[in-house]
Amino acid sequence: MTKLQELLKQINRKHVYIQTHNFPDPDAIASALGIQELLKHNGISSTICYKGKIDRYSTDKLRELMEIELLNVEDLSTILTDEDEVILVDAQKGNSNIVDITGDEIICIDHHPENEKFPYRFKDIRPEVGACATIVAQYFFENNIPMDRRIATTLTYGVRIDTNNLSRGVSKLDIEMLYRMFDECDYALINTDDEYGRRIFSEISCKKERYGISSEADYYADAIKIKSDGTSFWYCYNGKSQLVNMKMTGMFNVSNVTAAISVCLKAGLPIEDILKAVSEYNGVKGRCEIIPTGRDFTVICDYAHTPDAVENILKSVREYTEGRLICLFGCGGNRDAKKRPLMAKAAAKFADRLIITSDNPRDEIPEAIIDDILAGLKDSEIPFDVVVDRTKAIHHSLKIAEKGDIIVLAGKGHEDYQVLPGNEHIHFDEREIVSEGLKLID
């Protein structure tokens, strides 16, 4: 019997509140929805709840597209009755709306080291650090519980199944989840630019087509021209070609837009309307987002906060950088410290200069986090500056920028806050800070 099976057998009350952490991410929502479905399968009603606000674009879109009902409640203890149970999903100490609830009423199903001090019936159901959604999905398979399209799609999103993640190692569960999703599809559009996409394309049985930058695909991008202020390429399909102009940059956006155009065409939208919408679209906030400066250098804001993501964004931007590529980044507190020197090594691969600063320090000392980062630069000759205060660091990057330079502000992306000790969230929008900094150098 798995730990999740043990957990579900413990529940004997009429209703369950499934509590995600504050500011829930898609993994937490996907996990909660999966658990809600399992409870429903066992004849138990439940409500998914959270405290605070949903400020993540991806979480909000997932909730909207999958029609996931969420209850926003400040203090869950005020609505609990003797017939209620509480399950914490992806719980973090000090980051939930649990107030004055005794340990007998709560079950934790996700593991954070600091949770071991919780007065709760703690259940570490994960064999290793990873998305709780993975364990929930595994339970569906092991117990032959059917998934409808909504559950399959959401859980697949939760365990982060996509071509990029597949290329970093595939588990049996990953393949099962991916193929379960395609079993529910009437049509699949697959990126076949890499071996994993080609493998998926060859093995799925639903109606399918290919997209990419290879002319062997059914829909592909050709004659690609990427600049710091936008991109153009020819979109080719059915023996035809259309010129695409967009404000977004980077090869990954060429791939994404090729996919989006193809899906819209498949849905019957006129190509003229599609191309007009693409030309007017500014891109997803915080994903290789160009912050207007009106200067002869460029500032890009990106959510990259892992070594792999930092390397990918800098490698992409490097392709069209005319001057120096300056990368400003930090690492979050109360998070995996082992990745900090790896972040520095990743940034040093493609940047010409680094500015190392803070990024959601939480309960750790910012200077100590930066010392961990600097350990990754011991064997590097790349020039770098340390500016602990992130606002001052951004202003510093603007002051040293020269004609043709590109500054990449990595880590915050769409976030408009900084997380300080005690889980205090303060307003922090890098677009506003860049605007203020430009006035200071006039």
Side-chain angles (χ1 to χ4, degrees):
M1 182 181 295
T2 66
K3 290 184 178 180
L4 184 54
Q5 285 176 306
E6 293 175 4
L7 165 72
L8 293 176
K9 283 185 174 295
Q10 290 182 38
I11 298 173
N12 55 16
R13 302 187 188 182
K14 291 185 177 181
H15 188 80
V16 173
Y17 286 96
I18 305 170
Q19 161 72 48
T20 69
H21 57 65
N22 298 354
F23 309 98
D25 54 28
D27 292 340
I29 296 300
S31 303
L33 182 65
I35 291 169
Q36 185 176 57
E37 187 69 10
L38 293 176
L39 291 171
K40 180 181 177 182
H41 184 75
N42 288 353
I44 301 172
S45 65
S46 62
T47 301
I48 302 174
C49 55
Y50 70 100
K51 173 186 174 181
K53 65 176 182 176
I54 294 181
D55 60 353
R56 297 173 187 253
Y57 176 84
S58 53
T59 303
D60 202 42
K61 294 306 292 184
L62 180 66
R63 176 179 65 167
E64 176 185 336
L65 292 171
M66 295 297 111
E67 299 179 343
I68 302 171
E69 295 185 4
L70 302 176
L71 173 67
N72 188 344
V73 56
E74 186 69 21
D75 182 358
L76 189 55
S77 63
T78 61
I79 61 175
L80 289 179
T81 71
D82 292 339
E83 297 183 336
D84 296 327
E85 182 85 74
V86 177
I87 296 178
L88 292 178
V89 177
D90 199 19
Q92 298 175 34
K93 190 175 183 180
N95 193 17
S96 66
N97 61 7
I98 304 298
V99 181
D100 296 331
I101 301 177
T102 64
D104 288 340
E105 295 170 308
I106 300 177
I107 299 174
C108 291
I109 66 164
D110 197 33
H111 179 59
H112 289 267
E114 64 269 26
N115 286 352
E116 293 182 359
K117 298 179 180 178
F118 272 21
Y120 309 150
R121 285 179 283 163
F122 183 76
K123 295 290 179 183
D124 174 13
I125 67 167
R126 298 186 300 180
E128 57 187 20
V129 174
C132 179
T134 301
I135 299 301
V136 176
Q138 187 72 57
Y139 186 88
F140 274 89
F141 286 112
E142 291 174 348
N143 294 275
N144 296 314
I145 299 174
M147 289 186 199
D148 61 20
R149 182 174 302 189
R150 174 170 170 260
I151 299 299
T153 302
T154 306
L155 277 178
T156 299
Y157 188 93
V159 294
R160 301 166 187 256
I161 305 303
D162 58 27
T163 299
N164 287 333
N165 281 335
L166 284 172
S167 65
R168 292 193 284 274
V170 188
S171 70
K172 181 181 179 181
L173 175 64
D174 293 338
I175 293 296
E176 287 178 335
M177 279 301 303
L178 186 64
Y179 284 46
R180 176 71 71 93
M181 183 178 70
F182 283 122
D183 284 343
E184 296 289 339
C185 290
D186 299 317
Y187 169 80
L189 182 67
I190 307 293
N191 186 324
T192 52
D193 284 333
D194 61 54
E195 63 176 294
Y196 292 99
R198 292 189 288 272
R199 171 186 171 185
I200 293 168
F201 186 83
S202 69
E203 294 181 354
I204 61 176
S205 58
C206 63
K207 185 177 179 181
K208 58 195 175 183
E209 288 183 298
R210 302 162 297 178
Y211 79 94
I213 59 174
S214 168
S215 59
E216 295 180 357
D218 301 291
Y219 309 92
Y220 65 93
D222 194 18
I224 302 166
K225 296 180 180 178
I226 302 176
K227 298 182 179 180
S228 62
D229 58 352
T231 302
S232 68
F233 64 91
W234 286 91
Y235 174 77
C236 306
Y237 68 107
N238 298 336
K240 307 173 186 177
S241 59
Q242 299 282 347
L243 180 62
V244 177
N245 289 295
M246 62 183 189
K247 300 174 184 178
M248 298 173 287
T249 65
M251 189 61 74
F252 65 94
N253 273 321
V254 172
S255 180
N256 290 343
V257 168
T258 299
I261 294 174
S262 305
V263 169
C264 289
L265 280 175
K266 202 69 182 176
L269 298 177
I271 186 64
E272 296 79 11
D273 293 349
I274 298 170
L275 296 179
K276 182 175 183 295
V278 169
S279 69
E280 295 174 350
Y281 184 54
N282 291 318
V284 177
K285 183 178 180 181
R287 298 302 197 276
C288 202
E289 176 188 355
I290 298 174
I291 300 178
T293 64
R295 308 301 172 96
D296 55 7
F297 58 84
T298 302
V299 178
I300 292 176
C301 172
D302 193 86
Y303 189 50
H305 60 284
T306 66
D308 187 53
V310 167
E311 183 172 331
N312 286 337
I313 182 65
L314 294 180
K315 182 179 179 180
S316 176
V317 174
R318 175 88 273 172
E319 295 176 2
Y320 52 87
T321 302
E322 297 177 359
R324 297 174 302 166
L325 178 54
I326 302 170
C327 179
L328 180 150
F329 74 98
C331 290
N334 298 7
R335 296 294 185 267
D336 184 8
K338 295 190 294 295
K339 81 173 186 180
R340 294 169 185 172
L342 301 180
M343 287 278 286
K345 290 181 179 180
K349 278 187 180 181
F350 295 101
D352 298 302
R353 184 166 182 170
L354 304 179
I355 300 175
I356 300 168
T357 185
S358 299
D359 184 353
N360 294 337
R362 297 184 177 85
D363 296 315
E364 291 194 59
I365 299 172
E367 290 83 356
I369 297 174
I370 290 173
D371 286 342
D372 289 342
I373 295 172
L374 294 177
L377 297 177
K378 287 182 179 179
D379 300 322
S380 175
E381 296 181 358
I382 188 171
F384 65 87
D385 303 312
V386 173
V387 183
V388 178
D389 183 287
R390 194 174 180 98
T391 296
K392 293 179 180 178
I394 293 173
H395 292 172
H396 173 66
S397 72
L398 300 174
K399 291 177 183 177
I400 65 173
E402 301 172 356
K403 182 178 180 179
D405 288 353
I406 296 182
I407 303 168
V408 173
L409 308 178
K412 301 298 291 179
H414 62 283
E415 294 180 351
D416 60 0
Y417 57 84
Q418 188 84 297
V419 186
L420 303 180
N423 198 42
E424 178 186 2
H425 285 61
I426 63 170
H427 182 71
F428 192 96
D429 190 320
E430 294 193 324
R431 298 146 202 81
E432 297 172 4
I433 293 169
V434 168
S435 178
E436 295 165 357
L438 292 171
K439 295 175 183 177
L440 296 176
I441 61 176
D442 284 336

